[in-house]
Amino acid sequence: MRYNALIIFTSLFTAGCTDSDISLIKDGRLNDFPEFTIGQAFDSRNVCESTHWRTFVDDRKRTVVEYQCALKDATGYYVEETQKQLDSAILEKERIKIYYEDKIQEREEYIPRRREEMQGSFHPSAIEKMANIEKGVLKNLRENYEKKTISASLEIETLQQQLDSLEEISAQEYFHWTTLEDGEFMIIAAGITEKTPDGIYSESIYNGFGGPLSALYSNEADTYSHYIKQIDATGDRLIID
C-alpha cells in the first residue's frame, strides 16, 4: 500500500494505553468526537455489513492498524447512478427532437413565405439565391438532427446495456492508523476500494479526513449510496482508479 504524503493527517489524538496496537486505537477517542470510543463508533455503523481490524508492517517499517468496513449495497449505488444517466440521456434525445423539429419546421415555412415577400421587389436570381441559402441552412439542420439523434440513441443503448449487465460490486472502506512512541496515534490514509466479481478493482482515497469522519460518526447512512453522497458533498474523496 502506497501512502500519499499530502493526505497524512497531522492532528494527534490521545488514547488510553493498552497492550495491542488495535486496542490502543479502538479504546481511544478523537478530540472532535469524544462521545464515543473509536471502536464504538467504527464497529457499530448502519452502513457496514461487517467490520474487521488487523495490523501489518508497511514498506516504511511502520506498524499499521487497518480498519475495514464492508459497505452495504454498493451495487445499488451503481444501478441508481446508471439509471440517472440513462434517464438524462433519454431526456436529452427528446430535447434534441423538439429543438430540431421546431427549427426545421421554421425554416421550411420561412422559404416559401420569404419567396412570396420578395416577389416584385427583387430580381428572380436574388430570390433563388435566397432560397438556395435557406435550403442549405435547412440541409445542415437535418444533417445535424440525424447525427445528434444517432449519437443520443447510441448513448442510450450503451447505458441500457451497462444497466442490464451490471455485476455485483463489493465495496470496502478502510482507515489506516499508526501509533506513536508517546502513546498517541494518527490516521495516515483512508479511502474506499471497490471490486467486481471478475476481480477488477477501483480505488478512491480521502484527501481530507474531516468530512468522512463526520459522516461516519453521524451514522445516518445505511447504504453505500447514501454514505458516498455524504462524503462527496464534502469534497474529500478523490477517485484514482
Side-chain angles (χ1 to χ4, degrees), residues 166-177:
L166 192 63
E167 297 180 306
E168 191 72 22
I169 296 170
S170 62
Q172 301 271 348
E173 183 181 45
Y174 66 88
F175 280 83
H176 289 172
W177 316 72

Side-chain angles (χ1 to χ4, degrees), residues 1-5 8 21 55-65 176-180 186-189:
M1 177 63 66
R2 293 169 292 130
Y3 298 107
N4 184 340
I8 289 178
D21 290 316
T55 61
F56 65 91
V57 177
D58 69 4
D59 54 7
R60 299 179 68 180
K61 308 302 182 184
R62 295 178 298 184
T63 297
V64 176
V65 174
H176 289 172
W177 316 72
T178 191
T179 58
L180 306 175
M186 61 188 292
I187 302 172
I188 55 175

Side-chain angles (χ1 to χ4, degrees), residues 30 47 54 71-72 125-126 146 164 169 189 210 221 241:
L30 303 185
V47 75
R54 73 181 182 105
L71 294 160
K72 292 180 182 176
S125 62
E146 181 180 9
D164 293 341
I169 296 170
D241 288 320

Side-chain angles (χ1 to χ4, degrees), residues 5 9 16-17 30 34 38 48 67 78 89 113 129 135 153 178 186 205:
F9 195 44
C17 184
L30 303 185
I38 290 169
C48 297
Y67 160 84
Y78 283 97
R113 185 175 70 249
K129 182 177 180 181
K135 287 176 183 177
S153 297
T178 191
M186 61 188 292
I205 60 173

Side-chain angles (χ1 to χ4, degrees), residues 34-54:
E35 63 272 28
F36 298 106
T37 67
I38 290 169
Q40 288 169 336
F42 278 62
D43 284 335
S44 304
R45 301 169 62 193
N46 295 326
V47 75
C48 297
E49 290 280 5
S50 61
T51 61
H52 177 71
W53 297 80
R54 73 181 182 105

Side-chain angles (χ1 to χ4, degrees), residues 4-229:
N4 184 340
L6 294 177
I7 66 169
I8 289 178
F9 195 44
T10 57
S11 294
L12 305 180
F13 307 107
T14 302
C17 184
T18 62
D19 292 336
S20 76
D21 290 316
I22 292 176
S23 293
L24 176 67
I25 304 300
K26 294 182 70 173
D27 292 343
R29 297 175 187 266
L30 303 185
N31 290 342
D32 289 340
F33 308 96
E35 63 272 28
F36 298 106
T37 67
I38 290 169
Q40 288 169 336
F42 278 62
D43 284 335
S44 304
R45 301 169 62 193
N46 295 326
V47 75
C48 297
E49 290 280 5
S50 61
T51 61
H52 177 71
W53 297 80
R54 73 181 182 105
T55 61
F56 65 91
V57 177
D58 69 4
D59 54 7
R60 299 179 68 180
K61 308 302 182 184
R62 295 178 298 184
T63 297
V64 176
V65 174
E66 179 181 69
Y67 160 84
Q68 286 191 352
C69 157
L71 294 160
K72 292 180 182 176
D73 197 21
T75 306
Y77 168 74
Y78 283 97
V79 169
E80 179 183 334
E81 291 301 304
T82 306
Q83 185 64 58
K84 284 182 183 178
Q85 293 177 45
L86 178 58
D87 292 344
S88 178
I90 291 171
L91 287 174
E92 176 62 14
K93 184 180 179 182
E94 183 61 21
R95 187 198 67 79
I96 290 168
K97 178 177 182 293
I98 292 171
Y99 174 82
Y100 277 97
E101 288 186 354
D102 284 350
K103 288 293 184 182
I104 288 169
Q105 182 179 355
E106 179 183 306
R107 302 320 292 181
E108 287 175 338
E109 293 173 351
Y110 175 79
I111 294 172
R113 185 175 70 249
R114 182 58 180 156
R115 186 190 293 273
E116 184 177 349
E117 291 171 350
M118 294 176 70
Q119 292 291 340
S121 300
F122 293 86
H123 192 276
S125 62
I127 297 174
E128 287 307 310
K129 182 177 180 181
M130 177 280 301
N132 288 333
I133 290 172
E134 290 300 327
K135 287 176 183 177
V137 172
L138 185 58
K139 180 175 180 289
N140 287 336
L141 280 171
R142 286 173 173 154
E143 289 176 350
N144 287 338
Y145 180 25
E146 181 180 9
K147 289 177 183 177
K148 288 182 179 293
T149 299
I150 291 172
S151 177
S153 297
L154 287 173
E155 183 177 5
I156 289 170
E157 182 181 351
T158 299
L159 288 168
Q160 187 63 63
Q161 289 175 351
Q162 290 177 3
L163 191 61
D164 293 341
S165 62
L166 192 63
E167 297 180 306
E168 191 72 22
I169 296 170
S170 62
Q172 301 271 348
E173 183 181 45
Y174 66 88
F175 280 83
H176 289 172
W177 316 72
T178 191
T179 58
L180 306 175
E181 293 180 357
D182 57 4
E184 295 180 325
F185 54 86
M186 61 188 292
I187 302 172
I188 55 175
I192 293 174
T193 59
E194 297 170 353
K195 180 183 177 183
T196 62
D198 54 5
I200 297 176
Y201 280 89
S202 62
E203 183 176 5
S204 54
I205 60 173
Y206 298 156
N207 54 1
F209 303 127
L213 286 172
S214 292
L216 188 155
Y217 272 82
S218 74
N219 202 27
E220 295 174 359
D222 57 3
T223 65
Y224 181 70
S225 178
H226 186 182
Y227 186 61
I228 207 72
K229 289 172 185 176

